[in-house]
Amino acid sequence: MSETTPASGAAETATEPFRYSAALAAEIESRWQDLWEKEGTFHAPNPTGALADPSAGDVAAKPHSFIMDMFPYPSGAGLHVGHPLGYIATDVFARYQRMTGHNVLHTLGYDAFGLPAEQYAVQTGTHPRVSTEANIANMRQQLRRLGLGHDPRRSISTIDPEYYRWTQWIFLQIFDSWYDETARKARPIAELVAQFASGSRELPGGRDWASLSGAEREDVLGEYRLAYAKEVPVNWCPGLGTVLANEEVTADGRSERGNFPVFKSNLRQWMMRITAYSDRLIEDLELLDWPEAIKLQQRNWIGRSEGARVDFAAPGDRKITVFTTRPDTLFGATYMVLAPEHGLVDEIVPAAWPEGVPAEWTGGADTPAEAVAAYRAAAAAKSDVERQVDAKVKTGVFTGAYAVNPVSGAAVPVFIADYVLMGYGTGAIMAVPAHDHRDFAFARAFALPMRCVVEPTDGRGEDPAAWDDAFDTYDSVIVNSARSEGDLSLDGLSVVDAKAHVTAWLAERGIGEGTVNYRLRDWLFSRQRYWGEPFPIVYDEDGVMHALPESMLPVEVPEVDDYSPRTYDAYDSASSPETPLSRNEDWVNVELDLGDGPKKYRRETNTMPNWAGSCWYELRYVDPSNSSAVVDPANEKYWLGPTETKPAGGADLYVGGAEHAVLHLLYARFWHKVLHDLGHVSSVEPFHKLFNQGMITADVYRDERGFPVPAAEVEERDGQYSWQGEPVKREAGKMGKSLKNAVAPDDIADEYGADTLRLYEMSMGPLDVSRPWDTRAVVGSYRFLQRLWRNVVSETTGELVVTEETPDEATLRALHKAIDGIRGDMAGLRFNTAVAKAIELNNYLVKRGSTPRPVAEQLVLMVAPLAPHIAEELWRRLGHGESLAHTDYPVADPAYVVDETVTCVVQIKGKVKARLEVAPGISDAELEALALADPAVVAAIGGAEVRKVIARAPKLVNIVTG
RNA sequence: GCGGCCUUGGCGGAGCUGGCGAGACGCGCCGGACUUAGGAUCCGGUGGGGGAAACCCCGUGAGGGUUCGAAUCCCUCAGGCCGCACCA
């Protein structure tokens, strides 16, 4: 790339000094970028506050368009051409919206806390703040060159104390609230306290609020708060030295970042009660304009399933509670399984095996306790990869205990097995081998009885012993289900009816109830990191937790000597985390006056996860410098509030990669809903329309050992690829430094200009599809801009070459069809076809030989969102004093969009036999008559019988002959 | 295994709710112009097969179906991509 000669050679500038060359593009681009910045061209006025603009008139009455990108991590690696794809797309759309009468809010902030920034800092030996800020500056520089029309006043950074004071403030809002199941919303915790104090709500355990100590009260409230600290089994990653959210752990039990092993460990951690919002997070997806695939992923992630809890009587008056989605098959439950970690296991294990236990149930152990211990040890030793491989082979061991099936009264053996997960439902199942394929496999392996209770509809018969697998189809009826005493029978009921019937029967007896279970877990919200937001929480000398008052925010990230995490051997599961902040005793131990005089406190030393800053940035974009509120209600209502087309409110467009389908997007929705419930925002959702842009991929070339070689240095001959004389293999892949195929936007801009780069990226294909980068093809976009330039400006004299003639009919038709098409494409984010239509019109003008001024002006305005610098330059040369950024986008005249005559095709049995020039408004009957009278048609029909004539005015007549 | 998506020229891709001649636009390739030269730029051509030509035949992963008419709708299969993964 950098070795090729720039397109602007000395020879051509001598004869054509005004040709649109890379050098000229560079000059134009930096000049306009400076001008935009100086004049604040992309400043979006707010209805009120610091960013209000009295000269902008009644802002609240003007239509708005809030366009967001998923903001970037300021990595030190530098950008490749894939990174700005989305930013260019939103910029094109934002510029289009601005030219169609919208007050456009478009900016870009930086998500700068978190692991990569910290790791980068540790690697380079610089403080995270220093390296992060340098990275931000570098990225701003690279992005500025692209001419993105951002409002720079709104470019927040999550590491700015003035930003994260509000992150901490929101944390406190969440901390100080609880979820009222009846009202289905979050409410201030004070209202719960009032209910407890007045007795209108009973305390758990029937205690009296007034008699509780501060610590006891806090324990109670901790069960309600939407943010709470609790000892929970968490994902501890010794290699990273931190705990991780479930969402940050891969399916094979490793950290998403760094790929270190992750272990389950009980630790006191901060949690967010996102599960309280499960149903609302599912329901409100209906109100959003999001890709169905993403909605589906969120629904699956939340994993709502309706079913029932059922109690099975266990030895010693204990009960084992299971969750099942198939209470209708309760009569078929012939054994039970507990997760190996289940707390009840040790309680029910008898001293000795019962009489006549089959040898394969005991695992060869002398006593149940030994069997259980051995199985647990084996399960723990198994790597997750082994677990996956073994998924089909069911393992487990008998506990020696029996429970009682509540509907059949039968004694059922209780097993432990790792196919039952502690983290889902109650960690215990009733096993119905005849109607669940996992239970079937286990029952086969352990020779357990099976009972068919759902009538097979596929002719396999009712004896499970003869089956290959469970019968788990729903659309059938229940059979074989009478209780011996005869007081419950489901026979003949449909699966659906049987579920309701048996659930009611259980509920009457107090041994079960209908319930809803979710896959979603509460969100682990603390990390043992330096580079994150500190919690605004302190502990008094009794260890009681206190929230800091708003006046003490922000709690700034303290300076420490050693900010690196305490990491361990990646496999040292017995290690435990040490928070970097705890090393700074001066910071940890403070004397504060929290309203009852100065006292000594210890600060919370965990930090928030990197998601925190991105959970609410849409709000801060709206009102970035507000120091008295997270966002002014008037500004929030204007930019984000619900409207007829946005029932839940939210930003009008949010563009980013699909990799954030569940994590970021679910967390941000959750925070936004809490803030809505507490009355801070009018919108219910943060992002109304979501658009996932595709990736830019690139060929990867590997040598014989499989190592990537620099793609830019690979040579091709007759379909064979080589690097430094050695043959290499080509494959499709992502673009990136490690694959040695990254192409830097700066290099493309150097060679052709930023407008060419923007145009090329937009013309590569549909925005939501991944497509391969092809540096050779960039020149096509460059040539288009050169032709456009040449249609307006003489390459030799620099004078305007547009003509002052009145455009002819055909040219006007070409123009207005282009306007009509491009407008539709722009509004629908179909920039690739918008570019094609602009090129088509430009090519038409080239062929025409001259460009009438009005056509040139309209074309320049149409191209402006895509290639803003050259458009501004041509606009100015065409004699306009103002930037075109706020000029009205061309509007098509319908009279020129519809042709005066349309070519109608006459088909005979689907083959074209004649063409007619007809008026667009012609009726079917007229058209049919015209077609049948046409000599060519008459000839083609010959003497054949006309069986049917299909007329679709004005474009087609199809004649079916017999 | 479950769920979702995709498959059009040498390549990236057009083709709106089934309605003409598929393949817009760009790259590449072929030919020409300008040039000491050009990988710069400009002009023309470019799905496959046949024909001197007008023109004809075949073509949207494979097979089948619905329809007057299918790249577009339905079924089966093949290949590819993504998500979840023993979720009871």
Side-chain angles (χ1 to χ4, degrees), chain A residues 65-191:
Chain A
S65 187
F66 183 5
I67 298 160
M68 284 181 71
D69 296 282
M70 291 186 186
F71 65 172
Y73 236 100
S75 130
L79 299 180
H80 62 64
V81 290
H83 291 117
L85 178 69
Y87 307 150
I88 295 171
T90 51
D91 189 50
V92 173
F93 186 66
R95 285 171 181 272
Y96 173 73
Q97 291 285 80
R98 202 175 283 116
M99 293 174 79
T100 52
H102 296 85
N103 183 18
V104 173
L105 171 35
H106 186 218
T107 189
L108 191 74
Y110 293 87
D111 187 17
F113 273 128
L115 277 180
E118 184 173 303
Q119 281 171 337
Y120 180 79
V122 170
Q123 276 164 25
T124 57
T126 48
H127 192 280
R129 177 175 303 285
V130 174
S131 65
T132 303
E133 280 173 357
N135 290 346
I136 291 174
N138 184 43
M139 215 163 157
R140 278 213 169 98
Q141 188 64 31
Q142 279 194 292
L143 291 174
R144 187 181 191 272
R145 254 193 109 171
L146 300 175
L148 304 174
H150 294 155
D151 183 342
R153 305 168 305 169
R154 299 173 187 262
S155 176
I156 55 90
S157 163
T158 56
I159 60 170
D160 182 348
E162 279 310 300
Y163 181 86
Y164 68 70
R165 74 174 287 177
W166 294 106
T167 310
Q168 292 169 338
W169 180 87
I170 294 170
F171 171 83
L172 290 178
Q173 297 298 309
I174 298 172
F175 176 75
D176 273 328
S177 56
W178 59 294
Y179 196 78
D180 182 340
E181 294 286 353
T182 314
R184 297 194 83 213
K185 59 179 276 195
R187 296 173 62 184
I189 199 84
E191 296 179 15

Side-chain angles (χ1 to χ4, degrees), chain A residues 454-667:
Chain A
V454 180
E455 185 172 40
T457 48
D458 55 5
R460 60 167 72 188
E462 287 185 21
D463 180 11
W467 298 355
D468 296 329
D469 199 355
F471 177 79
D472 56 2
T473 315
Y474 279 42
D475 48 357
S476 185
V477 296
I478 304 298
V479 292
N480 195 18
S481 75
R483 184 181 164 100
S484 50
E485 291 88 349
D487 65 344
L488 174 66
S489 173
L490 305 173
D491 289 351
L493 293 180
S494 71
V495 164
V496 174
D497 291 345
K499 280 181 184 176
H501 195 261
V502 74
T503 304
W505 187 90
L506 292 164
E508 268 170 38
R509 282 154 187 80
I511 52 172
E513 58 173 348
T515 182
V516 178
N517 196 54
Y518 301 90
R519 205 184 79 104
L520 184 69
R521 306 265 68 108
D522 276 348
W523 172 23
L524 175 71
F525 193 70
S526 44
R527 299 291 184 280
Q528 293 69 52
R529 288 279 144 182
Y530 171 71
W531 196 229
E533 299 89 344
F535 284 82
I537 294 286
V538 294
Y539 302 89
D540 64 23
E541 291 181 310
D542 299 326
V544 176
M545 182 191 301
H546 298 270
L548 292 175
E550 206 178 320
S551 62
M552 292 186 185
L553 303 183
V555 178
E556 292 206 35
V557 182
E559 291 301 321
V560 296
D561 296 333
D562 178 15
Y563 47 77
S564 55
R566 169 87 188 273
T567 59
Y568 300 84
D569 180 277
Y571 291 90
D572 182 5
S573 59
S575 57
S576 61
E578 175 192 293
T579 56
L581 295 188
S582 67
R583 294 177 203 141
N584 187 339
E585 289 289 321
D586 291 345
W587 180 81
V588 172
N589 297 298
V590 286
E591 192 174 88
L592 302 169
D593 184 350
L594 299 184
D596 49 358
K599 285 187 180 172
K600 287 188 170 164
Y601 296 94
R602 284 183 64 81
R603 290 190 189 275
E604 169 65 56
T605 60
N606 283 291
T607 51
M608 299 186 197
N610 57 327
W611 307 107
S614 61
C615 273
W616 69 280
Y617 70 122
E618 73 281 357
L619 295 173
R620 205 57 182 170
Y621 277 167
V622 164
D623 208 356
S625 58
N626 194 328
S627 58
S628 58
V630 62
V631 56
D632 185 285
N635 291 333
E636 188 274 335
K637 188 163 184 281
Y638 174 66
W639 291 109
L640 290 162
T643 63
E644 259 177 44
T645 51
K646 287 197 297 189
D652 296 274
L653 177 66
Y654 192 33
V655 173
E659 68 273 15
H660 290 116
V662 281
L663 308 182
H664 159 61
L665 288 172
L666 203 61
Y667 298 152

Side-chain angles (χ1 to χ4, degrees), chain A residues 421-434:
Chain A
L421 310 173
M422 196 58 223
Y424 184 79
T426 62
I429 63 156
M430 61 177 217
V432 185

Side-chain angles (χ1 to χ4, degrees), chain A residues 643-714:
Chain A
T643 63
E644 259 177 44
T645 51
K646 287 197 297 189
D652 296 274
L653 177 66
Y654 192 33
V655 173
E659 68 273 15
H660 290 116
V662 281
L663 308 182
H664 159 61
L665 288 172
L666 203 61
Y667 298 152
R669 293 182 63 212
F670 164 52
W671 277 34
H672 205 99
K673 285 185 182 306
V674 177
L675 290 174
H676 171 81
D677 287 353
L678 298 176
H680 299 298
V681 296
S682 68
S683 41
V684 183
E685 288 278 340
F687 316 113
H688 174 65
K689 175 167 180 161
L690 175 71
F691 191 95
N692 294 119
Q693 96 266 19
M695 255 190 319
I696 289 187
T697 61
D699 287 335
V700 182
Y701 298 90
R702 294 181 189 274
D703 63 19
E704 282 170 334
R705 294 171 305 163
F707 291 107
V709 303
E713 299 168 18
V714 170

